[in-house]
Structure formats: C-alpha cells, structure tokens
Amino acid sequence: MKLWLPLIAIAGLGLNALPAHAADDSWIVRFGAHVVDPKSDNGHLAGMKASVGSDLKPTASLEYKFTPNWGMDLLVAAPFSHSIRLNGTNVATTKQLPPVLGVNYHFMPDSDISPFIGVGVNYTRFFNTDSTGPLEGTKVRIDSSWGAAAHAGVDFRLNKQWIVTADVRWIDLASDVHVNGVKVGRATINPLAYGLSFGYTF
C-alpha cells in the first residue's frame, strides 16, 4: 500500500488544479522510440539464474496539460520482444505490451528547455511466449503485472508547436513464470525504458 501513496498524493494535487485552469488546456502528442532495458539480475527460475534481454520499439504518447505545469500522459508502444535465458542458455522468447498512465510536473513550461518528473502506474501483458532450447516443446507462461512507474525527462522546444523529448521511465515489473502449468519462480525485471521522441503541441 505504501508504494501507491506518492502516486495518489501527486495525482490528487494535479487534479485539484483542473477547474481553476481550464483556459490553459493543451495537448502534446509524441512519436519516437524507446529501449526497454531490464535490470541485470532477474532472479532465479527453477533454481537457475534468469536474465531477460532488451529491445527497441516505436512508441507514442499523449499528454493532456490541465495546467501549464501539470499534465497527465499515456504511453503506448509496439510489442517489445525479449529473450529469456537460464544460466546463459536461451529457453524462451516473449512479447509484451507495457502501457503507462502517469502524472507529470513540468518545472519550466514556458522555457525552451523544460525538465519534468512524474509518477504513474504500469500494466504489462506478456503474450506469444515460445519455448526453445532445453525447454522446447513445453508451454511457458508469464503472468501479467501491475506496478508503479517513475518518469523523468526534458522537453526541448524547437518552435511554438514542435518539441523534442528525451526521457526515461523506471517500471516496477515482476511476474510469475509457469512451465507446463507449474510455477517455476518469479522474474523480477524492473526495467528502465529510455528514448527520444518528437512532439506536437496543440
């Protein structure tokens, strides 16, 4: 429960400002690419050390700024693909979709260089998990995951409408793994998702 308190508090502060700043409404749509880079130690499955590979895919986000400083954004992406290794041997590949909904605070919204931070919630759905190598022929399933997310980045304004955004997100992501219906452990992935995008404001 304590994990969600900062998110609830920040979201509440931002939403409370909505009625007073309706005239300042604005939207930012961003298109770019992000790398999902799992942390180096992903735990143990069936007594063996697990590691999950990185992947780069196109992403898009939509942010609604209900005040000049506060915005709520949704990040979506093409499915990321990851290899799964046990003690260095490939045993499976999987795809996942990791939408993130969050609240951002922009420190200098009227500046040409505007840093921001944010918090949010992530839902990751794994699918099309295929076994290979020593596990070929078995059915591998990875449970979906809910978790908190942290966000930080910088907007670089090119002109009145166009911006470039560099950002990074940390995602609390851990999922149970099953082989032929039997739980073999829990993969703690906790990736960084970092990337670059072009944005259009309107």
Side-chain angles (χ1 to χ4, degrees), residues 1-11 119:
M1 177 64 72
K2 291 181 180 179
L3 182 63
W4 300 102
L5 292 178
L7 173 60
I8 294 170
I10 292 178
V119 293

Side-chain angles (χ1 to χ4, degrees), residues 8-83:
I8 294 170
I10 292 178
L13 287 173
L15 292 174
N16 285 338
L18 179 58
H21 294 275
D24 294 327
D25 294 353
S26 63
W27 295 86
I28 307 173
V29 59
R30 296 180 176 92
F31 295 96
H34 283 72
V35 173
V36 171
D37 187 20
K39 76 186 193 80
S40 57
D41 182 4
N42 303 129
H44 289 77
L45 302 175
M48 292 178 281
K49 184 177 180 180
S51 61
V52 180
S54 303
D55 193 27
L56 169 69
K57 283 294 187 293
T59 57
S61 69
L62 181 65
E63 182 172 6
Y64 174 65
K65 295 185 70 178
F66 45 83
T67 78
N69 296 97
W70 288 98
M72 180 171 288
D73 79 328
L74 174 66
L75 173 72
V76 296
F80 290 91
S81 298
H82 301 278
S83 61

Side-chain angles (χ1 to χ4, degrees), residues 129-147:
T129 302
D130 297 318
S131 58
T132 187
L135 293 184
E136 188 169 2
T138 63
K139 183 178 180 180
V140 178
R141 176 171 60 87
I142 305 173
D143 289 348
S144 298
S145 169
W146 287 92

Side-chain angles (χ1 to χ4, degrees), residues 75-92:
L75 173 72
V76 296
F80 290 91
S81 298
H82 301 278
S83 61
I84 301 172
R85 297 179 178 86
L86 295 180
N87 287 347
T89 300
N90 280 329
V91 296

Side-chain angles (χ1 to χ4, degrees), residues 100-158:
V100 180
L101 178 66
V103 177
N104 296 323
Y105 181 80
H106 298 262
F107 289 95
M108 299 180 291
D110 297 323
S111 173
D112 289 340
I113 300 176
S114 177
F116 60 85
I117 58 172
V119 293
V121 61
N122 162 257
Y123 172 74
T124 298
R125 176 178 176 267
F126 292 92
F127 62 100
N128 287 0
T129 302
D130 297 318
S131 58
T132 187
L135 293 184
E136 188 169 2
T138 63
K139 183 178 180 180
V140 178
R141 176 171 60 87
I142 305 173
D143 289 348
S144 298
S145 169
W146 287 92
H151 191 198
V154 181
D155 289 327
F156 300 91
R157 183 165 298 281
L158 302 179

Side-chain angles (χ1 to χ4, degrees), residues 152-193:
V154 181
D155 289 327
F156 300 91
R157 183 165 298 281
L158 302 179
N159 54 41
K160 185 176 180 180
Q161 269 76 45
W162 290 96
I163 61 174
V164 173
T165 301
D167 71 329
V168 60
R169 299 174 192 259
W170 174 84
I171 298 172
D172 175 29
L173 200 173
S175 296
D176 291 336
V177 180
H178 306 262
V179 177
N180 289 339
V182 177
K183 180 180 173 180
V184 296
R186 187 169 179 82
T188 303
I189 302 170
N190 291 355
L192 291 176

